[in-house]
Amino acid sequence: MNNSRKLMQLVKNNCQNRDQVGYQVKQQSPLANAGESRPAFLIYDVIDPWWGVSAEMIKRDLLSITDATDIDVYINSPGGDVFEATAIYSSLKAHSAKIHVHIDGIAASAATRIALAGDTIEIADSGFYMIHYAWTLALGNAQEIRDTADMLDKVDNTIVNDYEKRTDAGEEQVRSWMKNETWFTAQEALEHGFVDSIMQDGASDKTTNKAWDLTSYQNAPKPPQDKFEQRERLERFANMLLTTG
């Protein structure tokens, strides 16, 4: 129940401002060459069938793309519904195009499941990549709840297997990372094999700049406090010198 509340809180915290478009499909990626059919998917939202990016949205748009040899997927997401993410992963893997994943900010939780679909994966220098054991919501009698837990074990097993293949890390190491809700910096994600490269500054096509509420997670990196406090003190001191000089 505790993780169920956390998942609900994660979605609630990050769905307050729906004016920002969190999902878009561009007919031409900024990385497309002249005359090339190379669309781009922008996943800048929670992964959720009601309040964010759903598997149905992704599948519908992928089915309409028949002539592309490459597709760019841009991700900045705090995660969400593991089953939706698994369906998105499967849809991307099933497409005939080569999938290029670009993590512009955060790929956390279920969003990493989507990122795994990439034939190539890169991350912004200041990005984060977080993995943990899957959460979900469950309603019903005791047997139905047990069945849901068994299903989560199966989901975790498939994700562990995919992380193992992606990183060449052993099962014990991957499960330890997941158990401890591990947040990897871009460099750590590269060193462990979760990504292939780190983006150069200005290389990504950032059309939004969303800061996610990550308080539902246990080990999320803390945002800097009083970010401009030192600069403001210096500015006040400089202004004082100007007025008294």
Side-chain angles (χ1 to χ4, degrees), residues 66-177:
T66 58
D67 60 345
T69 57
D70 296 86
I71 295 174
D72 291 298
V73 179
Y74 294 90
I75 296 176
N76 181 24
S77 171
D81 190 304
V82 64
F83 296 112
E84 289 294 302
T86 298
I88 293 171
Y89 163 87
S90 299
S91 294
L92 289 169
K93 292 293 287 185
H95 200 277
S96 60
K98 192 172 184 179
I99 305 299
H100 304 280
V101 169
H102 314 272
I103 301 170
D104 285 342
I106 291 176
S109 185
T112 66
R113 182 67 166 148
I114 298 172
L116 286 174
D119 294 292
T120 66
I121 308 172
E122 65 174 2
I123 188 171
D125 184 56
S126 58
F128 279 94
Y129 190 103
M130 185 276 273
I131 65 173
H132 68 161
Y133 279 127
W135 301 346
T136 192
L137 302 176
L139 294 173
N141 59 38
Q143 185 57 53
E144 289 169 329
I145 300 297
R146 291 188 186 97
D147 291 342
T148 299
D150 290 340
M151 178 58 69
L152 270 183
D153 284 338
K154 293 179 181 180
V155 170
D156 281 333
N157 289 340
T158 63
I159 296 174
V160 167
N161 183 57
D162 285 340
Y163 286 150
E164 280 188 78
K165 290 187 293 186
R166 175 70 215 181
T167 65
D168 289 329
E171 179 180 355
E172 183 178 352
Q173 175 64 80
V174 171
R175 288 190 179 276
S176 176
W177 283 333

Side-chain angles (χ1 to χ4, degrees), residues 208-220:
T208 64
N209 184 22
K210 237 175 182 176
W212 299 114
D213 185 329
L214 303 174
T215 54
S216 297
Y217 293 125
Q218 180 179 348
N219 300 321

